[in-house]
Amino acid sequence: MSRPRWLVATGLLTPTGLWLGLFLLAPLGLVVQFSFATRDTGVARVVLPWTVDAYTTALDPAFLPIFARTLAYAGTTTALCLLLGFPLAWFLARHAGRWRNVLLAAVLVPFWSSYLARIYAWKALLDDDGLVDRALGVIGLGRDGGFLLTHGAVVLGLTYGFLPFMVLPLYAACERFDFRQVEASYDLGHAQVSTFFRVVLPGVMPGVVAGSLLVLVPATGDFVTPRLLGGVDQSTFGSVIDDQFRGGNNWPLGSAMAVLLLLLVVVALVVRGRRGEEVL
């Protein structure tokens, strides 16, 4: 007699449930709990009574410029990753041939080194009299003080760091795409631009949505790149959260901000889910 399905399902889900419970739900529950606690400057960090003061402070209009800057960085990074990643993914799927695995490995190789070390490398490259400044200075485009601590440096660092997150799902979507549809579109008289928007883009839209989400979510919460390449003036919501937990010793406010940022991610996931149902 075969085992009941619910027993098999329970056996399969138990490790997953334990993993999610220990490493996702438990830490998340603590953060939510901290967000409703009261600040304590002593060892306890948070104390009773429960309050919503942290959320009131987190929603203060004074944080709106930082929040807007965070979304601007994340949105620009996502758009640039899409613009750079789509041609690369298309080339890998369509024209790479026997070099495909080598080129895919080249995309993944940066992941083998520390993200922090790579951002520090960009910091040296963009600094005053760095390699980028000297190279652009040859053609008269150098900048006094280098390109460090600018909006462009932050966007460059984020785009460099998260580009593979866009390329891989796009490559998977392009590889599944039936390229005969492009030839059929040309046979029906459609131009290249029309073929792209009416045939190619809808066909690879699941990869576009997945890649955009994979870039947008971590770029929104990243605080390392804005801090190292942008400095204090380019602080993002992630930087402020980090400051509250470390220098500010205000765990309730940091937790409330983290919860609000998480809610933003959840909304993006819900929108992505509905969008995925529409395009699949």
Side-chain angles (χ1 to χ4, degrees):
M1 184 177 180
S2 61
R3 293 183 176 181
R5 289 185 177 179
W6 67 267
L7 185 59
V8 176
T10 302
L12 292 175
L13 290 176
T14 296
T16 305
L18 288 174
W19 180 271
L20 292 177
L22 289 174
F23 299 106
L24 176 63
L25 297 180
L28 181 60
L30 285 176
V31 171
V32 174
Q33 183 182 1
F34 290 162
S35 69
F36 288 102
T38 302
R39 178 186 182 186
D40 178 42
T41 56
V43 179
R45 307 293 187 183
V46 295
V47 294
L48 294 177
W50 305 119
T51 176
V52 295
D53 289 348
Y55 285 96
T56 304
T57 305
L59 294 174
D60 190 283
F63 290 111
L64 283 180
I66 298 176
F67 189 68
R69 186 186 304 129
T70 302
L71 295 182
Y73 281 153
T76 305
T77 299
T78 304
L80 287 176
C81 285
L82 183 58
L83 289 175
L84 296 173
F86 187 85
L88 177 57
W90 183 268
F91 176 80
L92 288 172
R94 179 74 169 169
H95 304 292
R98 61 178 181 175
W99 295 100
R100 181 176 302 165
N101 292 334
V102 176
L103 294 175
L104 278 173
V107 173
L108 295 174
V109 161
F111 279 99
W112 298 356
S113 60
S114 167
Y115 179 76
L116 190 61
R118 285 180 277 139
I119 296 302
Y120 266 110
W122 271 110
K123 187 175 181 179
L125 290 172
L126 296 172
D127 205 353
D128 186 22
D129 203 30
L131 183 60
V132 174
D133 187 44
R134 280 184 288 173
L136 292 178
V138 173
I139 55 176
L141 296 178
R143 184 176 184 273
D144 291 336
F147 295 90
L148 201 61
L149 308 183
T150 63
H151 297 291
V154 177
V155 173
L156 175 63
L158 290 172
T159 303
Y160 165 78
F162 296 117
L163 181 60
F165 292 172
M166 180 68 78
V167 172
L168 294 180
L170 279 176
Y171 167 73
C174 290
E175 195 177 38
R176 291 195 299 267
F177 180 73
D178 186 356
F179 292 100
R180 292 175 298 181
Q181 296 181 39
V182 177
E183 299 173 1
S185 178
Y186 290 155
D187 292 341
L188 293 174
H190 289 291
Q192 290 184 346
V193 175
S194 176
T195 299
F196 175 79
F197 285 103
R198 302 184 65 174
V199 177
V200 176
L201 191 57
V204 300
M205 186 56 73
V208 173
V209 175
S212 299
L213 197 61
L214 286 175
V215 173
L216 182 66
V217 172
T220 303
D222 189 341
F223 65 92
V224 174
T225 305
R227 174 153 296 169
L228 293 181
L229 300 184
V232 179
D233 293 338
Q234 313 299 335
S235 294
T236 60
F237 219 58
S239 305
V240 177
I241 292 173
D242 180 57
D243 291 338
Q244 300 308 317
F245 275 101
R246 296 197 301 172
N249 195 29
N250 194 345
W251 286 26
L253 179 57
S255 299
M257 289 180 167
V259 171
L260 292 176
L261 200 60
L262 179 63
L263 289 176
L264 180 66
V265 172
V266 170
V267 170
L269 288 173
V270 171
V271 173
R272 185 266 177 188
R274 292 182 177 178
R275 180 61 179 166
E277 291 177 357
E278 292 175 1
V279 298
L280 289 175

